[in-house]
Amino acid sequence: MLCFGESLNVMSTKIGKAFKERDPKPIQEEALFQKEKGMDYIDINLGPAKKDGPELMPWVIQTVQEVVDDIPLILDSSNIEAIEAGLKVYKPTKQSPIINSIMCRPARYEKMIPIAAEYKADFIALMWGPEGLPRDENERAALCVELLYAANEAGIENEKIWVDGIVTPVNIQQQQSVSLLEFQSMIGDIAPGAKSTCGLSNISNGPPVYLRPILNQTYMVMLERNGMLSVISDPLDEKLTAIAKGKRPDIVEIVHKAMDGTAPDPSELEKELADYVKTVDVILGRKLYSDSWLEL
Ligand code: THG
């Protein structure tokens, strides 16, 4: 599982301030930190950046690449001019940079696909359609086929496209977490050769902070089993990265068993593994979500 560091992010107080004041130090420290934590890509998230995006994105990219030039970058902003300005100054890395993201809305993708093609950038294909979040895996599949067809027509092959079926908070709509798992297992057929990614931490957006890691870790293993290739994740969560990098086969095994319904009863397991079994049941909707699911 590839890990894309999420925390070079305008929503973080420290980084948001550094973006605004054009202070390179916190940004360079964060990039070096993510490298040390084993991140495979760094997501540079400016948010909407409506006003100064086209000036800010190239500045952040150059600031990061001054200290880390061997990790590819992900350009994350809804400001199209900011993305293009960033690609213009991007110092080539072994893997192509990734545009985050192109939505399944013709008015957006008709502008952005030519930019991806011109700069030979990869892009994240976000399954967000004209009516917003798709209702189920079949709507996700229909959006995916439409967007990848448009990209293929422009000469971009599936291998440069990272499909993002969209992770949603488990405490709001459990059914959506299952729908994404279903969609994930369809990608190989509907988009052969395409890669995949997701904003993993979205699943735990809402639940108490101390419960976020177990939700993120469990869902990552479940998604990987269904074909997920990468996650935009929290580099501070060392256990998550360890699981992603194959260092916790015991956790992977218990999650798979829980998915199949063949795990032992949680009462027969040590607490660490029992928590993963309980969390699989919550994500799959076998148990109703409540903040106290681990205590039950
Ligand atoms: N898909 C794609 N790109 C994405 C997302 C996605 N980019 C943005 C987001 N979703 C993924 N990135 C984050 C970044 C931060 C957090 C979650 C997802 C997060 N931050 C903490 C918070 O908000 O509580 C801490 C912020 C802080 O440092 O203060 O949860 O789905 N393609």
Side-chain angles (χ1 to χ4, degrees), residues 251-265:
I251 293 174
V252 173
E253 188 190 352
I254 201 73
V255 169
H256 288 183
K257 282 188 175 160
M259 291 170 82
D260 295 339
T262 60
D265 191 84

Side-chain angles (χ1 to χ4, degrees), residues 1 56 68 129 173-174 232 271:
M1 176 68 76
L56 180 58
V68 177
Q173 277 175 298
Q174 262 168 318
I232 305 173
K271 166 137 174 73

Side-chain angles (χ1 to χ4, degrees), residues 6-7 9 11-13 43 45 76 100-101 124 126 164 166-167 197-202 205 212 232:
E6 72 178 15
S7 47
N9 189 323
M11 285 182 308
S12 137
T13 334
D43 184 81
N45 187 345
D76 191 349
N100 188 8
S101 55
I124 295 177
L126 192 71
D164 181 343
I166 304 187
V167 175
T197 195
C198 65
L200 182 66
S201 309
N202 299 353
N205 189 356
R212 296 194 69 168
I232 305 173

Side-chain angles (χ1 to χ4, degrees), residues 20-34:
K20 214 160 145 195
E21 295 172 357
R22 302 290 192 272
D23 177 7
K25 197 154 170 270
I27 294 166
Q28 293 180 333
E29 280 170 5
E30 174 62 31
L32 288 165
F33 173 79
Q34 291 199 21

